[in-house]
Amino acid sequence: MVRTRPVLAAFLLSAQAALAAPPDLVIALQLEPPHLDPTSAAAGAIDSVLYTNVFEGLTKFSETGEIVPGLAESWEISEDAKTYTFHLHDGVTFHDGTTMDAEDVKFSLDRARAEDSQNAQKALFEGISEVTVLDPLTVQVTLAEPDGNFLFNMAWGDAVIVAPESIEGIQQTPVGTGPFVFDRWMTGDRIELSRNDAYWGEAPALAHVTFRFIADPTAAFAAMMAQDIDAFAGFPAPENLPMFEADPRFKVIVGTTEGETILAMNNAEEHFADPLVRAAVAHAIDRQAIIDGAMFGQGTPIGTHFAPHNPDYVDLTELSAYDPEKAKTLLADAGYPDGFVTTLKLPPPSYARRGGEIIAAQLREIGIETEITNLEWAQWLEEVFRGKDFGLTIISHTEPFDIGIYARPDYYFGYDNPELQELMATLGATTDPAARSELVAKAETMIAEDHVNAYLFQLAFPTVADARLEGLWQNQPTQATDLTGVHWVE
């Protein structure tokens, strides 16, 4: 009997530790992905679940936005900055047991840049002229021109490495190389992941992860308060944050994002093709009223499509300062003294639904009436993003350093400016940091002066979590819920 007591005591301590630090996590998000292939959709909700958890790229973003090695442990860049030679980690396997090697990298990059590619960020890959397999762990990427953003581009969720063996079922059954394996998707409710015991890198502390999707802010508050969920990343009811801050069961983490929240205008539509109309809309918007009314003070005003925390940000808010009288004059000068009617199509996030009501009232003051339609996320992607069937919409662009979308005439807001396109091409071929900063400032100014869209605020990112939970990202350098370092403590 005496000999068994240490064993029993150890067992009890182990059991207590297990109770104190559960190996599982239930985390909520507001938006559910439309499908699970990050390489063929613009929905950031896909990356929110899968980025670094299930799928990995050659490089990746750290929480600070730094570009760090991913599946590539190192790389060399040629003197002319046109050839990148990536050295892959050895011993990496996909979740189905197949080996990840240079052939998979070639397949992924060639698929993304193919003529029939469905990749929402196909422009990231257009500069690639050839992908060559040198050996199973070495792949060479040749660019047509130098691209100072190439390593940055390879960190996007749209550039993750996939395999030909599993590509057919990727939208419903994603197979990656990450520290978590996809288990199941209960549409409309949750996605479940489990720890990848064959992971090539450091194993995560969590054994099982459940992502729950709770779109309604009231339901989000109730679920968190009842502790039905352990954390809510991007908590959608900022008015409730003080209650969580006052409750010792919880912690509130507020970080920054890459989310430029804009009132997007369809530049190809009759009214908004006129820069005077776009300027009128921009001057009709009281940014602070939207931040206070829709976000309860959470957000930073912006005057262009660029993140304020970026060292290259230029504060251009005065170019579209709130001035309803000026807006009315501009509208009259454009031939609409009595205003006009347009559509305002809103996706599910609370910044859009709540902000939409405030913006509709502000536009009404200058004579523009809006017909509001609330769309589910899949509807918004189909109708607005792909179909370009809208006058106005509110959306937060959470992709990092995405000002290049303004050089794409086929992008959903239809802005076609050859001068900007030339400037962005020059930026892409420029590697000198000082020269790049100067070009970025010019691009920011150009789109602000042309009032391509009405720039509202930089989206804050509040997370509410169990006070014992550590390792959640505070900031969002890309749209992701990286759980690789998350763990429970007492």
Side-chain angles (χ1 to χ4, degrees):
M1 293 293 291
V2 174
R3 292 179 181 175
T4 65
R5 283 177 182 171
V7 176
L8 177 61
F11 173 79
L12 290 173
L13 286 172
S14 176
Q16 289 170 353
L19 288 172
D24 296 348
L25 175 72
V26 180
I27 186 166
L29 304 174
Q30 190 175 24
L31 295 180
E32 181 175 16
H35 60 73
L36 304 179
D37 177 11
T39 67
S40 66
I46 302 174
D47 284 349
S48 289
V49 175
L50 303 179
Y51 186 83
T52 71
N53 295 324
V54 173
F55 287 113
E56 299 173 300
L58 292 172
T59 60
K60 66 180 180 179
F61 294 105
S62 72
E63 187 190 352
T64 63
E66 181 186 6
I67 302 301
V68 298
L71 292 174
E73 63 179 1
S74 63
W75 50 81
E76 291 104 33
I77 306 173
S78 63
E79 287 188 13
D80 64 2
K82 291 184 181 182
T83 302
Y84 288 71
T85 303
F86 292 97
H87 302 281
L88 307 178
H89 283 282
D90 194 6
V92 179
T93 58
F94 286 99
H95 298 152
D96 61 2
T98 59
T99 299
M100 192 290 298
D101 58 21
E103 291 289 351
D104 297 300
V105 175
K106 177 175 172 57
F107 169 77
S108 300
L109 297 183
D110 284 349
R111 173 174 174 264
R113 68 192 185 95
E115 187 175 342
D116 61 350
S117 169
Q118 298 300 306
N119 196 296
Q121 302 297 337
K122 189 176 177 180
L124 297 175
F125 311 93
E126 287 178 347
I128 298 175
S129 61
E130 187 177 9
V131 182
T132 306
V133 173
L134 300 183
D135 62 53
L137 294 178
T138 313
V139 63
Q140 188 176 84
V141 181
T142 304
L143 308 179
E145 299 292 340
D147 184 354
N149 275 334
F150 185 67
L151 293 174
F152 182 91
N153 294 347
M154 291 300 97
W156 283 46
D158 308 81
V160 295
I161 303 306
V162 294
E165 293 90 345
S166 56
I167 200 65
E168 289 301 318
I170 190 172
Q171 292 197 352
Q172 297 298 319
T173 309
V175 176
T177 59
F180 293 97
V181 176
F182 170 80
D183 283 339
R184 65 172 179 163
W185 181 11
M186 298 175 64
T187 308
D189 182 38
R190 66 187 64 199
I191 288 174
E192 296 179 3
L193 311 177
S194 59
R195 183 165 52 209
N196 175 14
D197 292 328
Y199 184 52
W200 61 270
E202 185 177 349
L206 300 171
H208 187 269
V209 174
T210 299
F211 283 92
R212 285 191 54 194
F213 307 109
I214 305 175
D216 179 65
T218 302
F221 173 73
M224 198 73 232
M225 270 295 178
Q227 294 187 291
D228 293 335
I229 53 179
D230 301 313
F232 201 120
F235 189 73
E239 67 274 20
N240 296 140
L241 293 179
M243 297 180 67
F244 290 110
E245 290 172 331
D247 191 325
R249 296 178 299 164
F250 305 107
K251 66 172 72 173
V252 175
I253 309 165
V254 179
T256 61
T257 75
E258 291 290 326
E260 292 88 7
T261 307
I262 64 174
L263 175 65
M265 295 181 252
N266 188 345
N267 284 228
E269 192 264 349
E270 176 187 358
H271 302 105
F272 304 112
D274 189 332
L276 291 177
V277 172
R278 300 197 300 267
V281 169
H283 285 291
I285 302 303
D286 182 347
R287 296 182 183 92
Q288 197 59 51
I290 298 166
I291 294 171
D292 292 340
M295 305 304 296
F296 293 83
Q298 299 283 336
T300 305
I302 56 173
T304 189
H305 197 109
F306 214 72
H309 56 258
N310 191 297
D312 289 334
Y313 175 72
V314 181
D315 186 355
L316 299 168
T317 49
E318 282 304 308
L319 290 178
S320 52
Y322 177 53
D323 189 342
E325 292 306 314
K326 182 176 182 177
K328 290 177 184 176
T329 300
L330 287 166
L331 210 54
D333 291 345
Y336 301 103
D338 300 319
F340 57 85
V341 178
T342 189
T343 60
L344 176 56
K345 297 187 176 183
L346 304 173
S350 52
Y351 67 75
R353 297 284 173 88
R354 292 172 173 175
E357 296 292 340
I358 298 170
I359 286 175
Q362 292 177 351
L363 292 178
R364 190 175 300 117
E365 289 296 314
I366 69 165
I368 298 177
E369 291 291 336
T370 56
E371 297 173 346
I372 294 179
T373 304
N374 290 331
L375 301 175
E376 293 307 310
W377 190 236
Q379 291 177 295
W380 187 91
L381 288 170
E382 185 62 33
E383 198 169 312
V384 176
F385 186 79
R386 284 189 285 267
K388 305 180 181 67
D389 180 13
F390 75 106
L392 300 169
T393 189
I394 300 173
I395 192 67
S396 191
H397 283 258
T398 55
E399 298 85 0
F401 195 79
D402 58 352
I403 196 169
I405 58 180
Y406 288 79
R408 294 164 54 184
D410 60 342
Y411 204 63
Y412 77 97
F413 43 72
Y415 180 62
D416 190 355
N417 183 339
E419 184 181 355
L420 179 68
Q421 291 157 26
E422 183 178 348
L423 188 153
M424 294 306 296
T426 302
L427 174 65
T430 301
T431 56
D432 178 68
R436 285 181 59 81
S437 293
E438 184 178 342
L439 291 168
V440 168
K442 286 182 180 179
E444 292 177 56
T445 304
M446 191 177 296
I447 63 172
E449 290 178 340
D450 215 7
H451 303 288
V452 183
N453 294 306
Y455 304 103
L456 305 178
F457 59 88
Q458 197 71 8
L459 194 66
F461 193 78
T463 293
V464 180
D466 188 299
R468 302 169 298 160
L469 203 58
E470 296 289 342
L472 290 166
W473 276 14
Q474 176 176 352
N475 300 314
Q476 289 272 287
T478 189
Q479 194 160 338
T481 314
D482 187 333
L483 300 178
T484 55
V486 174
H487 58 281
W488 291 91
V489 297
E490 265 306 309

